Amino acid sequence: MGSLKDEVEVEVIEKEEVSSEALIYVNGVRRVLPDGLAHMTLLEYLRDIGLTGTKLGCGEGGCGACTVMISYFDHGLNKCVHSAVNACLAPLYSVEGMHVITVEGIGSRRKGLHPVQESLARSHGSQCGFCTPGFIMSMYALLRSCKAPPTEEQIEESLAGNLCRCTGYRPILDAFRVFAKTDDTLYTGQHKVDQDNGKFICPTTGKPCSCGTKPDQNGGTTTQNGASDHQYEPVSYSKIEGSRYSDKELIFPPELLRRKPTSLSLTGFGGLKWYKPLNLKHVLELKARYPAAKLVIGNTEVGIEMRLKKMQYDVLISAAQVPELNVVNVKDDGLEIGASVSLSDLLNILKKVVQERASHETSSCKALIEQIRWFAGTQIKNVASVGGNICTASPISDLNPLWMTSGARFQIINYKGNVRTTLAEKFFLGYRKIDLASNEILQSIHLPWTRPFEYVKEFKQAHRRDDDIALVNAGMRVYLEEKDGHWIVADASLVYGGVAAVSLSAQRTKEFLIGKSWNKELLDSALGVLENDISLKENAPGGMVEFRKSLTLSFFFKFFLWVSQQMDGKTSFTDSMLSSHLSAIEPVYRPSAIGSQDYEIIKQGTSVGSPEVHMSARLQVTGEAEYTDDVPVPPNAVHAALVLSRRPHAHIVSIDDSGAKSSPGFAGIFFAKDVPGDNMIGPTIADEELFATEFVTCVGQVIGIVVADTHENAKLAARKVHVEYEELPAILSIEDAIQNKSYFSGTEKCLKKGDVDLCFQSKECERIIEGDVQVGGQEHFYLEPQCSLVYTLDSGNEVHVISSTQAPQKNQKDVCHVLGLPMSKVVCKAKRLGGGFGGKETRASFVSAAASVPAYLLNRPVKLTLGRDIDMMITGQRHSFLGKYKVGFTNEGKLLALDLDLYNNGGNSLDLSLAVLERAMFHSENVYEIPNMRIKGRVCYTNMPTNTAFRGFGGPQGMIIAEAWIQRIAMELKKSPEEIKEINFQQEGAITHYSQKLDRFTLPKLWSELKQSCDFHRVREEVNQFNLQNRWKKRGIAMVPTKFGISFTTKFMNQAGALVQVYTDGTVLVTHGGVEMGQGLHTKVAQVAASAFEIPLTAVFISETSTDKVPNSSPTAASASSDLYGAAVLDACEQIKARIAPIASTRNFGSFAELVNTCFLNRIDLSAHGFYATPEIDFDWKTGQGNPFRYFTIGAAFAEVEIDTLTGDFHTREANMMLDLGYSLNPAIDVGQIEGAFIQGLGWAALEELKWGDAAHKWIPAGHLYTCGPGAYKIPSINDVPLKMNVSLLKGVSNPTAIHSSKAVGEPPFFLGSAVLFAIKDAIIAARAEAGVTGWFPLDNPATPERIRMACTDEFTSKFVTSQFRPKLSV
């Protein structure tokens, strides 16, 4: 196995002889790669040499955190090519002869930021910062590859392969939009002004706006929108250098420019062989020698197979640069495409062909263009090849149905040079089986031109529009000929993906179509034939059988309408369609997203109230910000991997670890018997085993831990541990738990107000409804996976932990517990997190505790980093809920009584599930006055990984159930939901069902202002008109309020400590117990300190959170951290100010530095420990009385959506949010929190579905998580941002109960994302009404395309389900 230490590193030199060595340049530095690294990815190599700005987010090319730019000289095109790629998938040797540029290579704090970095930092486009380098590099690669400034559409497309969980994407788009040259102002600084009214002209929209107005630094109102007035130099372009923004831009190394292409024969770990042939003959020779060898182009499939599916290939042949496989020839009879041509190149070729050829010849080309557009992110398309996609033979391939339906032919060549051709439709033999012998390769694809009146169309439906695999896709073709005054189908082809083990041709439907007239009668009859032509069994892999069946009909219906539109106006074609049906085939057009932010700046002191940029922003945009996995590993360190259960409930019969012990690099294996202290841990009660002993109670439960010299070797050894099980019955859902009375003891809770039973029995309740609401869970999907580094000092006398945790004190406590050490000997530190959202509160301490056992026993540093799939499988998610309600109300809609039973899925240990349930119960009335209430709750014990905290902590689940029955009441009374809400709003002074009085309750004012600002009644009328005119597209709107209580509901946790140290140069070091995870906590706390001392923010520094500086801290959670730690810091500052006041009063000092230096000389203590405990909070569950919250953050949101009723696709046209945040400590950070929370809430409400192996998903192994990575689990992408997203903060209101009259912001806006869900439901109601179906219907969250489509009852869905059909959901 090669060592990175062996490589040669020298500075760039002018001349270098051509060498057969594997040579690359990284950020301008020449590097010779030694043999033995064929197993390594480019990402692993970069991080091993210290370039840790490139992050590991998922390891499967699905998040973009690992994006780098590669440059190479294309001798055929005679120019330098710059491409963004996923370093986590790129084999190290695949970039031989190329220049790799990482985020460190384009700018740094010391050398200066690149304009791309500067713009993102200034625009508040980096919160946790973990995804930031990936976005920077995607944008940078786009600029380097463009001859002219890119369009806004190109910018958004280039970012489709990058995910962000924090920002909501809007500030990222704003930051990068300045590089789309729509106006010279951004390059010259000379702003355009409207001649008529003198208003500033926005360079982004071309319309008058206030984006050029500078914020009032002394207070007042500011409105900002999607543009920037940063000044950048015009773009210059050269073939070699690409677009150049500064003199410091890295050029393409001259040595690589002169260097001749070199063939490679290298090796890797485990005997892996890597070959890079330079011509087709060499490829065929290698294939003859190694018939089982895998050809690799972009490694986007083979990499996944080897890394995640654990498939072994001994020989890899890199054919990416073989000229014969990269040919593209435009011929008289069609287009010849080499098998190694990348999808990005194919897309550009097709676009050029469409421009140059006759329109009737390129119908199939246009279909391919549209399908490739949505195929994957740019990084994948830049390297994935046409041939690789074909030969993978995926049953959900987006392109194979189009090759088949277009009549494409594949040219195949064997090792002897013999060539044969086969039709694409005959190439696919079975699941991942193709007509290709082991000594053959696919050489090229021949795509024939289409004929006049021959039409080819693509279709695809996925969970998410952008960068997602298809649920069902299709390619359809029809060739029409005119005979006797009729247009007859002369030929046809319908090929579907996602309905069988291969891309499936609807043969019977094809035969039925041929020879018949293209008219409405044909459509009706063909749909009947097609229904029986495509069959799916009840538990078919992938599930959603009814939905997928309906899509096969919807696609053909769309195809029929599209062809009819193409034929409209042609001679003898009389079947014109209704104008209302045009909506079925309107192309998806998405304009660039825009937004506005409206807030008041109320400055308090030098910094508080100012919209300051995140203090770590410049570190984050340069990749210099350090996360746990970036910390240099100490000498003699080992890496850890977990041994996990593969059964949901079983008795452990035996464990055989002999295979692990003989594995390469093995350093140790540890089980429960090896734990020095107590094996039982838990945040509230110790009911969770660190390592399983006799029984396993979920898939993914930790049985033991293996350590080895590398992370890959540790994982390999862990896989070799053989566990024999005796399976036991498993409880896999809330319904299972209810039926089996499987609850955690002591978790039955009840809150009461009034007399529910008496109210229901009285005549007051004119109407009573009963029902249930299923609330889906949600994966945290923080971009930084869980990671912990544990090491000992003084030969094991002390233990130090560096952890990606929201709760350092919990980590400290659990490590002490399992090692049997006092807390004074264990220190836990956290520098910053790459996102947390609650998922790193208790579950991070489990990771640290597991890693601490081998670290302590071996007396060696141990690093444990969870892979994305493992992280998602074992660390828990947002709790799914089941709410069973009974509501009484008047005919007017006035609420009288609510009887609600709440159940949440706790998983296999209690964790924080009871506290989550309690908060759901507190929030179960949302903002509505209900005289009589009874809320009962139970935590269900299931054989699933323990669920845990997630932003909102049960509050959103309680509120969404309330909003569901509010909407049902509206449907019962035939009124709008908004009307029902408004007549039931709580008012100032109201008493909640937990006896807390509402004080400074601003909802009525806020709701009225939001309703007016979004012009609700006008939009309602416009939506109604649109729905009348469009049969297959419907729009819907909704307004949703929220009232979120601020405080930990466990009283003792509402305390905070801080340490403030003033130095003699006038700078201040602040340490507090809170953790920075992107929410801007450190920035806000530093602003508090800066204002307290009346010094600039730049004079305050916060380094890290550490238990040896501030002890006994509560987790950074519950949205209360700014309140708690800000107040604690202020307390410390006031102590110091009181000490220095006597000196300050003696004379006027020229500076704060002069003052504190004088104090030092006078022996005055310039260090103080501050403390704060939230006053006036307490709650007694026995009496149901008290004040669990210090105050409430109030908000509301409006959303407008448009749905495609035939497919379930949707997009959010507009979203307006307004929150009461008092006097904001930092309005820019608060706006960022609102936008990020809203988009995360939108994901929970409408996109993100967890699929577990349960009764609802029998095609998944019992207890296993199917959606354990970005390939199957879809968080919102940049394409899911509302087209208009406006955020406002309520003005003129203060909050005297919190620091500087501010309010908490982290969790409250999350629920506002549910406005999208209820807007979707509003649109579905319109669709059902047009089909003659009225009345209530269930719509669980997330409202995925499946749930939207199947709720839109029509003639297609009715063939498979009733109007009350409820798609399956894992709860």
Side-chain angles (χ1 to χ4, degrees):
M1 183 174 177
S3 169
L4 294 178
K5 296 176 183 176
D6 298 335
E7 73 178 4
V8 180
E9 179 181 326
V10 295
E11 290 300 313
V12 179
I13 53 177
E14 191 64 33
K15 280 190 175 183
E16 179 71 27
E17 293 183 8
V18 175
S19 169
S20 60
E21 297 171 313
L23 172 68
I24 66 171
Y25 275 71
V26 179
N27 296 333
V29 177
R30 185 180 191 269
R31 294 181 179 272
V32 179
L33 304 176
D35 194 6
L37 303 180
H39 59 284
M40 187 173 274
T41 64
L42 175 59
L43 175 63
E44 291 167 333
Y45 174 79
L46 292 173
R47 294 184 63 79
D48 278 357
I49 63 174
L51 296 174
T52 55
T54 309
K55 307 299 183 188
L56 174 62
C58 68
E60 56 180 273
C63 72
C66 65
T67 304
V68 298
M69 187 181 86
I70 59 168
S71 303
Y72 63 93
F73 192 76
D74 188 314
H75 292 274
L77 298 175
N78 193 33
K79 73 170 188 177
C80 207
V81 177
H82 308 284
S83 300
V85 303
N86 293 121
C88 72
L89 289 179
L92 176 58
Y93 291 145
S94 71
V95 296
E96 192 275 336
M98 300 181 185
H99 189 193
V100 179
I101 297 181
T102 72
V103 68
E104 294 94 339
I106 68 171
S108 66
R109 285 176 305 126
R110 291 179 180 176
K111 296 179 180 178
L113 271 61
H114 190 278
V116 173
Q117 296 169 320
E118 187 72 52
S119 183
L120 192 66
R122 288 185 187 178
S123 301
H124 308 280
S126 181
Q127 289 187 16
C128 86
F130 198 81
C131 70
T132 300
F135 276 95
I136 292 288
M137 294 312 299
S138 288
M139 185 65 202
Y140 178 76
L142 175 67
L143 295 176
R144 288 293 297 263
S145 62
C146 286
K147 290 186 177 181
T151 64
E152 291 185 12
E153 183 182 13
Q154 285 177 311
I155 291 172
E156 289 197 24
E157 285 183 3
S158 75
L159 303 177
N162 293 80
L163 296 178
C164 175
R165 197 55 153 163
C166 297
T167 65
Y169 298 102
R170 191 276 310 164
I172 298 174
L173 287 170
D174 283 359
F176 293 160
R177 187 177 280 123
V178 301
F179 298 99
K181 190 179 177 184
T182 56
D183 187 274
D184 283 339
T185 57
L186 295 174
Y187 299 87
T188 64
Q190 299 171 357
H191 299 306
K192 239 186 209 180
V193 175
D194 189 312
Q195 297 301 319
D196 295 330
N197 55 29
K199 287 188 177 180
F200 173 84
I201 299 297
C202 177
T204 301
T205 64
K207 297 177 181 178
C209 76
S210 58
C211 71
T213 306
K214 295 278 187 183
D216 181 355
Q217 295 301 315
N218 300 312
T221 297
T222 181
T223 300
Q224 299 182 350
N225 73 1
S228 169
D229 61 354
H230 310 156
Q231 297 176 23
Y232 298 123
E233 293 300 314
V235 179
S236 64
Y237 180 84
S238 79
K239 286 182 179 179
I240 304 302
E241 298 177 25
S243 300
R244 186 164 64 187
Y245 281 79
S246 73
D247 294 333
K248 301 173 185 176
E249 208 76 75
L250 289 167
I251 66 168
F252 188 73
E255 179 187 9
L256 297 183
L257 192 64
R258 298 190 301 267
R259 191 170 184 266
K260 294 179 181 179
T262 308
S263 63
L264 297 177
S265 174
L266 299 163
T267 61
F269 179 68
L272 177 65
K273 292 183 173 64
W274 173 276
Y275 293 98
K276 176 191 167 186
L278 294 182
N279 54 56
L280 181 58
K281 182 181 177 183
H282 192 185
V283 173
L284 296 174
E285 288 172 353
L286 288 168
K287 199 68 172 117
R289 195 189 318 167
Y290 305 109
K294 273 283 186 179
L295 263 66
V296 174
I297 310 297
N299 203 45
T300 56
E301 182 65 27
V302 173
I304 298 293
E305 290 176 344
M306 295 182 71
R307 291 276 170 155
L308 299 182
K309 299 180 181 178
K310 315 306 177 190
M311 298 171 72
Q312 295 298 314
Y313 300 117
D314 296 327
V315 181
L316 299 177
I317 302 171
S318 175
Q321 296 177 45
V322 175
E324 297 93 329
L325 298 179
N326 280 285
V327 297
V328 177
N329 291 319
V330 180
K331 300 181 176 180
D332 291 339
D333 61 345
L335 186 63
E336 182 187 0
I337 307 156
S340 289
V341 171
S342 73
L343 295 179
S344 289
D345 287 343
L346 175 62
L347 185 61
N348 293 330
I349 292 160
L350 292 170
K351 286 179 178 178
K352 185 178 180 182
V353 165
V354 167
Q355 290 177 341
E356 296 175 351
R357 305 287 299 190
S359 179
H360 71 263
E361 291 184 325
T362 58
S363 186
S364 57
C365 296
K366 294 169 187 171
L368 284 164
I369 288 170
E370 280 302 304
Q371 204 72 312
I372 294 172
R373 179 186 175 194
W374 304 109
F375 180 91
T378 301
Q379 299 95 318
I380 295 293
K381 288 188 285 194
N382 282 343
V383 296
S385 67
V386 179
N389 181 257
I390 290 170
C391 292
T392 297
S394 169
I396 51 173
S397 164
D398 288 339
L399 302 185
N400 288 343
L402 284 171
W403 298 127
M404 292 169 67
T405 203
S406 299
R409 289 182 171 273
F410 298 158
Q411 184 166 297
I412 297 162
I413 186 169
N414 70 6
Y415 72 103
K416 293 181 179 179
N418 298 326
V419 177
R420 65 182 177 93
T421 59
T422 183
L423 279 170
E425 63 180 352
K426 295 182 178 179
F427 185 70
F428 304 101
L429 308 178
Y431 180 69
R432 306 259 178 182
K433 293 181 180 179
I434 53 177
D435 179 20
L436 201 66
S438 61
N439 59 9
E440 292 180 318
I441 68 166
L442 176 64
Q443 183 175 1
S444 63
I445 300 94
H446 179 265
L447 178 68
W449 306 126
T450 48
R451 297 162 286 186
F453 308 113
E454 185 173 22
Y455 302 103
V456 180
K457 188 65 176 168
E458 83 298 332
F459 298 94
K460 175 180 178 178
Q461 186 57 48
H463 276 300
R464 186 178 68 200
R465 184 69 179 164
D466 232 359
D467 189 18
D468 194 4
I469 57 175
L471 301 172
V472 178
N473 53 30
M476 298 185 186
R477 177 179 59 87
V478 67
Y479 175 44
L480 302 178
E481 289 182 340
E482 187 179 10
K483 290 184 180 179
D484 302 325
H486 297 281
W487 286 94
I488 306 299
V489 179
D491 192 16
S493 176
L494 280 66
V495 182
Y496 288 94
V499 296
V502 294
S503 298
L504 185 66
S505 177
Q507 199 63 31
R508 279 179 287 178
T509 309
K510 168 185 174 177
E511 292 167 359
F512 173 81
L513 291 173
I514 293 175
K516 294 184 174 61
S517 296
W518 190 261
N519 54 34
K520 182 68 167 59
E521 290 72 25
L522 172 74
L523 170 65
D524 295 336
S525 301
L527 286 169
V529 176
L530 183 58
E531 181 186 345
N532 297 313
D533 207 359
I534 305 292
S535 63
L536 278 168
K537 295 181 180 179
E538 182 182 353
N539 290 313
M544 301 177 287
V545 170
E546 300 85 0
F547 174 49
R548 288 152 70 192
K549 284 181 179 178
S550 75
L551 286 177
T552 62
L553 303 185
S554 294
F555 286 171
F556 181 73
F557 177 67
K558 282 174 170 273
F559 180 63
F560 177 85
L561 294 180
W562 179 74
V563 171
S564 298
Q565 184 194 42
Q566 303 301 307
M567 292 296 294
D568 194 26
K570 301 291 191 296
T571 307
S572 305
F573 190 81
T574 57
D575 256 42
S576 59
M577 61 174 150
L578 296 171
S579 59
S580 62
H581 283 220
L582 281 170
S583 59
I585 55 173
E586 286 175 350
V588 176
Y589 170 69
R590 180 185 167 84
S592 295
I594 58 173
S596 68
Q597 305 84 47
D598 183 13
Y599 51 77
E600 197 173 34
I601 294 179
I602 299 177
K603 289 286 291 286
Q604 300 180 63
T606 57
S607 189
V608 167
S610 179
E612 302 287 348
V613 168
H614 195 293
M615 290 180 70
S616 293
R618 294 174 72 83
L619 284 169
Q620 290 166 189
V621 298
T622 58
E624 294 169 289
E626 193 175 83
Y627 300 83
T628 302
D629 194 35
D630 302 334
V631 175
V633 178
N636 201 34
V638 288
H639 296 261
L642 302 174
V643 180
L644 304 174
S645 162
R646 303 302 296 166
R647 301 290 186 275
H649 191 201
H651 173 242
I652 298 175
V653 177
S654 64
I655 300 174
D656 179 4
D657 59 4
S658 57
K661 290 179 176 177
S662 61
S663 195
F666 173 83
I669 185 166
F670 305 88
F671 299 102
K673 61 181 175 59
D674 303 305
V675 175
D678 195 339
N679 190 50
M680 299 299 296
I681 61 173
T684 52
I685 61 171
D687 66 340
E688 183 175 5
E689 289 185 310
L690 180 66
F691 302 136
T693 52
E694 295 182 54
F695 298 92
V696 291
T697 53
C698 74
V699 172
Q701 184 173 356
V702 179
I703 297 173
I705 187 168
V706 180
V707 289
D709 60 344
T710 69
H711 189 204
E712 287 302 314
N713 279 343
K715 290 193 291 184
L716 177 63
R719 290 198 299 272
K720 292 181 178 180
V721 177
H722 178 71
V723 181
E724 187 179 340
Y725 303 95
E726 179 186 332
E727 294 205 44
L728 299 169
I731 293 172
L732 300 173
S733 67
I734 291 176
E735 286 290 357
D736 281 356
I738 294 172
Q739 289 174 15
N740 291 277
K741 294 183 171 54
S742 178
Y743 307 111
F744 285 92
S745 63
T747 64
E748 186 171 5
K749 297 288 181 176
C750 185
L751 291 172
K752 294 181 180 179
K753 176 185 177 183
D755 193 325
V756 171
D757 293 327
L758 182 62
C759 184
F760 281 132
Q761 292 166 10
S762 72
K763 294 181 180 179
E764 283 186 88
C765 288
E766 294 170 307
R767 299 197 185 207
I768 296 174
I769 56 171
E770 294 185 65
D772 67 78
V773 180
Q774 296 181 129
V775 183
Q778 185 182 23
E779 164 59 33
H780 302 88
F781 212 96
Y782 29 71
L783 265 291
E784 174 203 28
Q786 299 268 8
C787 182
S788 187
L789 173 64
V790 185
Y791 56 95
T792 59
L793 297 176
D794 280 352
S795 299
N797 190 47
E798 297 176 47
V799 176
H800 282 229
V801 181
I802 300 174
S803 173
S804 56
T805 179
Q806 295 175 233
Q809 191 259 358
K810 282 184 184 287
N811 281 44
Q812 177 194 28
K813 192 173 182 180
D814 280 351
V815 168
C816 293
H817 192 68
V818 301
L819 298 184
L821 295 174
M823 291 179 71
S824 57
K825 290 191 174 185
V826 174
V827 176
C828 181
K829 299 181 179 183
K831 184 80 170 177
R832 62 173 59 83
L833 307 189
F837 315 113
K840 295 177 179 175
E841 183 175 343
T842 61
R843 306 321 296 163
S845 64
F846 185 98
V847 174
S848 295
S852 71
V853 173
Y856 185 71
L857 294 177
L858 295 175
N859 200 27
R860 296 177 67 178
V862 171
K863 185 176 185 180
L864 174 56
T865 304
L866 300 187
R868 176 64 59 185
D869 54 338
I870 302 299
D871 193 313
M872 293 182 72
M873 177 172 42
I874 74 171
T875 60
Q877 286 96 17
R878 181 186 297 279
H879 291 73
S880 56
F881 267 71
L882 175 63
K884 297 185 177 183
Y885 62 83
K886 182 179 180 181
V887 185
F889 53 97
T890 67
N891 287 327
E892 181 192 14
K894 200 75 174 171
L895 299 172
L896 297 175
L898 168 65
D899 194 3
L900 177 65
D901 289 329
L902 286 177
Y903 304 88
N904 70 350
N905 189 333
N908 71 334
S909 72
L910 187 57
D911 195 78
L912 301 176
S913 298
L914 180 56
V916 169
L917 176 71
E918 290 171 350
R919 186 173 274 272
M921 295 172 69
F922 285 137
H923 288 73
S924 58
E925 98 286 33
N926 196 6
V927 296
Y928 306 114
E929 182 63 41
I930 311 171
N932 303 283
M933 296 179 65
R934 179 170 59 211
I935 316 296
K936 292 187 290 185
R938 298 291 294 266
V939 179
C940 297
Y941 176 92
T942 61
N943 294 117
M944 312 291 276
T946 188
N947 285 314
T948 192
F950 197 144
R951 193 180 207 162
F953 204 75
Q957 293 96 314
M959 290 186 281
I960 203 169
I961 292 169
E963 291 299 317
W965 52 253
I966 282 284
Q967 190 172 53
R968 184 171 179 183
I969 291 171
M971 294 186 73
E972 291 276 336
L973 298 176
K974 295 181 173 54
K975 294 185 177 183
S976 75
E978 289 72 30
E979 185 179 349
I980 301 300
K981 295 173 188 185
E982 288 165 4
I983 65 173
N984 287 289
F985 278 159
Q986 293 168 321
Q987 300 296 323
E988 177 72 15
I991 306 297
T992 67
H993 60 290
Y994 43 89
S995 80
Q996 182 159 354
K997 183 180 178 180
L998 299 183
D999 190 21
R1000 287 178 291 277
F1001 188 66
T1002 56
L1003 178 65
K1005 170 182 169 67
L1006 184 147
W1007 182 270
S1008 175
E1009 288 190 19
L1010 176 64
K1011 198 170 186 180
Q1012 184 176 359
S1013 68
C1014 67
D1015 206 350
F1016 183 85
H1017 295 295
R1018 176 189 60 79
V1019 177
R1020 174 81 271 175
E1021 184 56 37
E1022 289 178 355
V1023 165
N1024 291 343
Q1025 283 299 116
F1026 177 89
N1027 291 341
L1028 285 173
Q1029 296 165 8
N1030 293 273
R1031 173 64 185 92
W1032 303 109
K1033 294 259 178 79
K1034 297 294 179 186
R1035 290 178 183 170
I1037 60 173
M1039 286 184 67
V1040 167
T1042 187
K1043 172 182 100 249
F1044 196 88
I1046 304 300
S1047 289
F1048 287 99
T1049 53
T1050 302
K1051 183 179 178 179
F1052 76 83
M1053 297 178 72
N1054 293 282
Q1055 59 178 302
L1059 179 63
V1060 175
Q1061 299 169 110
V1062 179
Y1063 294 92
T1064 55
D1065 65 350
T1067 60
V1068 176
L1069 176 65
V1070 174
T1071 308
H1072 59 87
V1075 176
E1076 177 59 56
M1077 49 190 171
Q1079 82 281 43
L1081 175 63
H1082 282 356
T1083 305
K1084 286 184 174 181
V1085 167
Q1087 287 179 270
V1088 169
S1091 283
F1093 290 123
E1094 292 292 330
I1095 58 177
L1097 181 60
T1098 53
V1100 181
F1101 179 63
I1102 299 177
S1103 175
E1104 64 182 5
T1105 307
S1106 180
T1107 58
D1108 64 348
K1109 302 295 189 299
V1110 179
N1112 310 320
S1113 297
S1114 293
T1116 305
S1119 303
S1121 297
S1122 294
D1123 291 1
L1124 291 170
Y1125 297 110
V1129 166
L1130 184 59
D1131 177 47
C1133 293
E1134 294 296 337
Q1135 293 176 44
I1136 296 172
K1137 286 171 68 178
R1139 293 177 202 154
I1140 67 177
I1143 300 294
S1145 65
T1146 60
R1147 63 182 175 89
N1148 291 327
F1149 288 86
S1151 66
F1152 183 67
E1154 183 185 353
L1155 169 61
V1156 296
N1157 192 56
T1158 303
C1159 291
F1160 168 72
L1161 296 174
N1162 282 273
R1163 299 187 300 178
I1164 291 174
D1165 184 7
L1166 296 176
S1167 174
H1169 173 263
F1171 183 76
Y1172 176 76
T1174 308
E1176 300 175 14
I1177 54 169
D1178 199 7
F1179 188 78
D1180 186 344
W1181 274 96
K1182 292 180 180 178
T1183 63
Q1185 303 288 309
N1187 290 338
F1189 306 117
R1190 179 65 172 144
Y1191 63 88
F1192 297 91
T1193 295
I1194 308 298
F1198 162 84
E1200 179 187 359
V1201 304
E1202 182 175 305
I1203 66 172
D1204 183 331
T1205 67
L1206 290 168
T1207 64
D1209 214 8
F1210 86 95
H1211 66 269
T1212 307
R1213 289 172 48 78
E1214 185 169 350
N1216 296 338
M1217 294 142 266
M1218 182 177 284
L1219 273 90
D1220 169 13
L1221 296 183
Y1223 294 165
S1224 172
L1225 296 176
N1226 185 321
I1229 283 178
D1230 286 349
V1231 164
Q1233 286 292 289
I1234 293 168
E1235 292 173 329
F1238 180 87
I1239 295 299
Q1240 195 175 59
L1242 182 155
W1244 170 64
L1247 280 174
E1248 302 175 41
E1249 182 171 10
L1250 293 165
K1251 293 186 178 181
W1252 291 91
D1254 52 26
H1257 304 88
K1258 292 181 179 178
W1259 49 276
I1260 304 173
H1264 286 249
L1265 179 64
Y1266 174 72
T1267 48
C1268 59
Y1273 186 82
K1274 297 299 171 181
I1275 71 170
S1277 73
I1278 211 159
N1279 199 258
D1280 297 301
V1281 177
L1283 302 183
K1284 295 180 182 178
M1285 185 157 68
N1286 307 311
V1287 177
S1288 302
L1289 304 185
L1290 190 64
K1291 297 167 186 168
V1293 291
S1294 65
N1295 177 36
T1297 58
I1299 184 165
H1300 293 310
S1301 291
S1302 65
K1303 279 192 174 186
V1305 69
E1307 292 171 292
F1310 176 88
F1311 180 67
L1312 299 182
S1314 70
V1316 172
L1317 170 71
F1318 292 104
I1320 287 171
K1321 191 160 189 178
D1322 185 54
I1324 294 172
I1325 290 170
R1328 290 167 69 93
E1330 188 146 350
V1333 180
T1334 58
W1336 179 85
F1337 60 96
L1339 183 69
D1340 301 314
N1341 77 295
T1344 56
E1346 176 193 16
R1347 292 186 176 83
I1348 296 172
R1349 172 66 189 108
M1350 300 315 289
C1352 293
T1353 301
D1354 56 32
E1355 57 266 40
F1356 308 116
T1357 61
S1358 60
K1359 295 177 184 293
F1360 309 110
V1361 297
T1362 69
S1363 62
Q1364 290 296 305
F1365 175 70
R1366 194 173 192 173
K1368 297 169 182 175
L1369 179 67
S1370 288
V1371 291

